[in-house]
Amino acid sequence: MKIGIPKEIKNNESRVGMTPAGVFELTKKNHTVFVQATAGEGSGFFDKHYQEVGAIILPTIEDIYSQSDMIVKVKEPIAEEYPLIKENQIVFTYFHFASSEPLTKAMIQSKSICIAYETVEDNEGTLPLLTPMSEVAGRMAVQQGAKYLEKPIKGRGILLGGVPGVAPGKVLVLGAGVVGVQAAKMAAGLGAHVTIMDINMKRLRYVNDVLPNHVITAFSSEYSIRQLIKTHDLIIGGVLVKGGKAPKLITRDMLKEMRPGTVVVDVAVDQGGCFETTKATTHEHPTYIIDDVVHYCVANMPGAVPYTSTIALTNVTLSYILKIANLGWEKACEFDKSLSKGLNIVKGEIVYKELEGIFD
């Protein structure tokens, strides 16, 4: 199979679809791998590294799309890429269709095979290709939140860990999934007072068992959220609905209940966000303020740490890429039920049930 790795062109996206180590595994199996010139530089992987493992460097993104049977990316295609995608071409990437009607309609029109990293689901019901980026984003949410709590950036002027004689900051984490647990772990490590909320008692029991005693678990309800936002300095939204839109847990009117300078970080922004006031931002302009509340809603948070993120992503995507390359997408999906759940749009038809009728 001919596999193409284009350079990501989304704002401040420095990750790349595959490391040289991943490319080596494909070329060993006699597959042809095309890598766009300088595609890996942002992640610390240079053209020579790809050439050393047998990749062919092509100069333009148009060359990559026109010559490849399968495209392996990180982020969803953006408008400039829509016309480049060919009928029957396999596109394997994060899509997050539920948050973008134009993308969904463009991929239907392209008649390509869209396999979404974020909906590949294993027998335990976990999302193995979303997990590493959720781990990165959950940990980053606390780093970024701590930074934006500083006064020069209009935050409350709080040091999350406190110091002797001064109480630590308070962090509220919505959702006890991968993002939430990683965020709580980081915040607890800094010495912050942490409350993590979920509606799944099994997850809360797990958190209670594995995280330090100063991480408090709470059952999530609108009433509880309304009470806790009044006293917490950093609020992290990490609620995921598989393939669908995130629920709006913080409504516009709740912002007035928060103290001026409170920071909210919406890790669910790719799925529409779990704050009503969420709008996607970039690493170039990461924040905005509504009712004196600082919003950090960067849609590709792991893109800020591309070396870590690219390796973590290739670690989990490579086995699936090899299956598709070796067997073709139909046989690979027949053979691997986890991969078949990644099928979202096939030759102009939506085949992932959570997407059906979402934009009608």
Side-chain angles (χ1 to χ4, degrees):
M1 186 176 278
K2 294 174 181 174
I3 298 139
I5 302 167
K7 185 171 183 173
E8 298 293 327
I9 54 177
K10 188 162 185 163
N11 182 288
N12 275 275
E13 180 52 73
S14 300
R15 288 173 289 179
V16 64
M18 201 180 300
T19 62
V23 170
F24 183 56
E25 294 302 315
L26 286 163
T27 56
K28 261 197 334 190
K29 302 285 186 187
N30 296 319
H31 299 296
T32 303
V33 182
F34 300 116
V35 178
Q36 187 181 342
T38 73
E41 281 189 3
S43 297
F45 305 116
F46 295 89
D47 291 351
K48 66 175 182 179
H49 298 138
Y50 289 104
Q51 287 171 315
E52 284 165 1
V53 294
I56 297 166
I57 304 296
L58 295 179
T60 69
I61 195 167
E62 290 80 7
D63 292 329
I64 295 290
Y65 277 95
S66 67
Q67 296 193 41
S68 304
D69 305 312
M70 173 163 64
I71 298 294
V72 175
K73 282 176 47 61
V74 180
K75 291 301 290 178
E76 72 283 349
I78 62 174
E80 297 98 285
E81 293 171 274
Y82 297 167
L84 303 178
I85 297 169
K86 303 181 295 187
E87 189 172 341
N88 295 323
Q89 193 167 47
I90 304 160
V91 185
F92 196 25
T93 189
Y94 289 115
F95 276 107
H96 299 290
F97 282 118
S99 64
S100 176
E101 185 174 357
L103 172 67
T104 305
K105 291 191 167 169
M107 293 305 99
I108 289 170
Q109 197 173 354
S110 74
K111 293 189 164 56
S112 59
I113 292 92
C114 301
I115 309 177
Y117 292 159
E118 73 274 7
T119 65
V120 171
E121 186 179 335
D122 63 20
N123 295 333
E124 286 78 47
T126 62
L127 306 171
L129 306 192
L130 192 60
T131 296
M133 294 305 100
S134 297
E135 288 167 339
V136 171
R139 293 181 178 212
M140 277 190 71
V142 175
Q143 280 185 200
Q144 299 301 324
K147 179 168 74 179
Y148 288 101
L149 275 169
E150 295 170 10
K151 199 66 181 177
I153 320 172
K154 309 299 184 191
R156 286 199 68 227
I158 298 281
L159 181 66
L160 271 187
V163 291
V166 183
K170 290 187 169 186
V171 180
L172 176 62
V173 181
L174 304 177
V178 176
V179 167
V181 169
Q182 295 301 322
K185 185 186 291 186
M186 284 290 281
L190 286 173
H193 175 289
V194 185
T195 303
I196 184 166
M197 307 185 82
D198 205 298
I199 55 173
N200 183 335
M201 284 305 301
K202 189 176 177 183
R203 286 300 297 175
L204 292 180
R205 289 189 180 99
Y206 168 77
V207 169
N208 196 62
D209 285 344
V210 301
L211 290 184
N213 290 336
H214 65 286
V215 176
I216 297 165
T217 56
F219 188 79
S220 184
S221 68
E222 183 179 340
Y223 179 83
S224 301
I225 292 171
R226 284 184 179 273
Q227 297 307 306
L228 290 169
I229 59 175
K230 296 173 184 176
T231 57
H232 282 68
D233 307 300
L234 170 60
I235 300 166
I236 295 169
V239 178
L240 173 76
V241 175
K242 289 173 187 173
K245 286 196 172 183
K248 305 296 183 198
L249 300 180
I250 303 277
T251 55
R252 172 72 189 256
D253 66 293
M254 291 184 189
L255 300 187
K256 290 184 167 49
E257 300 295 315
M258 300 177 192
R259 293 173 295 193
T262 297
V263 174
V264 296
V265 178
D266 198 342
V267 185
V269 60
D270 270 333
Q271 298 290 103
C274 49
F275 307 147
E276 191 179 5
T277 46
T278 290
K279 58 184 182 189
T281 60
T282 66
H283 290 293
E284 201 169 17
H285 302 290
T287 61
Y288 56 93
I289 297 173
I290 298 176
D291 293 340
D292 294 322
V293 172
V294 180
H295 291 61
Y296 179 96
C297 304
V298 174
N300 60 328
M301 286 174 67
V305 286
Y307 178 79
T308 299
S309 298
T310 294
I311 295 173
L313 184 60
T314 302
N315 287 346
V316 292
T317 57
L318 183 59
S319 63
Y320 294 100
I321 293 165
L322 279 164
K323 278 176 194 165
I324 297 168
N326 291 337
L327 302 172
W329 72 269
E330 288 174 283
K331 279 190 180 172
C333 289
E334 195 179 314
F335 174 76
D336 189 328
K337 296 305 174 193
S338 302
L339 182 61
S340 69
K341 290 185 178 177
L343 288 170
N344 277 226
I345 297 172
V346 175
K347 299 179 182 179
E349 298 290 327
I350 290 176
V351 296
Y352 191 70
K353 66 178 186 297
E354 279 81 355
L355 274 181
E356 289 170 4
I358 197 167
F359 297 120
D360 289 351

